[in-house]
Amino acid sequence: MAAESGYLEPSGDRVAAIVQNLDRDVERGEDTIMLGYGLVLLAPAFAPLLPPSILLPLMAITFAVSASAARWHFYKMARKLAYSMVVLEYSEQAKLKPIAQVFEDHPQQTLAVAFNPLKNLKRTWKSILGGLMINPFWGPIFYMLGVQFVEDKHFFVLNKAVISVEQRIMPIVLRDE
């Protein structure tokens, strides 16, 4: 297995390179989450082919896979940032502190806790209530949708941090008047 290199590039401004690479990775993570939403929104197209007893659990599984892939990508970005920050000077590390703080604060729970209905009673109760109002097979979909929302929130907070750092370190581009 190849060693992880982090976000550094051999030439140029190291902080700017890290922020640009992080921005690209945040977009990939958001794309993973949006793929999960899109696949579930595409599910009615398969309704004539598959009975609800098969289609609805597949929708929940889609959300679970999408949320898991997004979380693994989030952890990978945190590792790559940590590898990159080791070689930076203190002043460069200070510029990236808001981004590093997001990785320290989020996610607040592991995927094992997120998928455990007994440790997320509020989400479980809402899922059961939603399932009772629509169809009992929708309960797991609502629960996994809640997990998906949490992952979406992590990437939203990370994206805000990356944008704030990017605006501070990137040179201001003057508009042609």
Side-chain angles (χ1 to χ4, degrees):
M1 184 179 272
E4 193 132 4
S5 62
Y7 287 116
L8 290 175
E9 292 180 0
S11 63
D13 185 12
R14 297 189 298 184
V15 175
I18 291 171
V19 171
Q20 286 176 339
N21 288 327
L22 258 171
D23 190 32
R24 188 182 64 242
D25 274 355
V26 168
E27 288 176 12
R28 286 183 187 147
E30 289 172 338
D31 290 346
T32 302
I33 291 169
M34 292 309 292
L35 178 64
Y37 289 137
L39 289 174
V40 169
L41 288 173
L42 188 65
F46 296 105
L49 305 173
L50 298 172
S53 60
I54 294 174
L55 185 61
L56 295 176
L58 284 176
M59 291 168 62
I61 290 169
T62 300
F63 278 140
V65 169
S66 174
S68 297
R71 176 70 64 94
W72 292 326
H73 186 69
F74 192 86
Y75 286 149
K76 182 179 176 185
M77 291 186 328
R79 280 193 315 271
K80 287 171 74 173
L81 181 64
Y83 291 145
S84 299
M85 287 187 68
V86 168
V87 298
L88 296 178
E89 296 174 8
Y90 179 76
S91 62
E92 293 171 324
Q93 289 178 1
K95 292 177 185 176
L96 295 171
K97 184 65 176 162
I99 298 171
Q101 190 65 41
V102 170
F103 284 120
E104 290 175 18
D105 295 344
H106 298 280
Q108 297 171 344
Q109 55 181 224
T110 64
L111 278 175
V113 172
F115 287 139
N116 188 344
L118 299 176
K119 294 193 178 186
N120 297 291
L121 294 176
K122 187 176 179 182
R123 185 183 307 145
T124 303
W125 171 247
K126 288 179 181 180
S127 301
I128 290 171
L129 186 61
L132 290 175
M133 291 196 304
I134 296 177
N135 180 339
F137 284 115
W138 278 83
I141 295 170
F142 289 138
Y143 189 84
M144 289 300 132
L145 183 61
V147 174
Q148 182 91 349
F149 285 158
V150 169
E151 296 307 316
D152 197 4
K153 179 185 172 192
H154 293 155
F155 277 97
F156 176 77
V157 171
L158 181 60
N159 193 26
K160 278 179 56 175
V162 169
I163 289 171
S164 71
V165 171
E166 192 173 41
Q167 288 175 345
R168 277 189 287 148
I169 66 166
M170 299 295 175
I172 298 172
V173 177
L174 299 175
R175 286 187 262 160
D176 293 332
E177 296 184 71

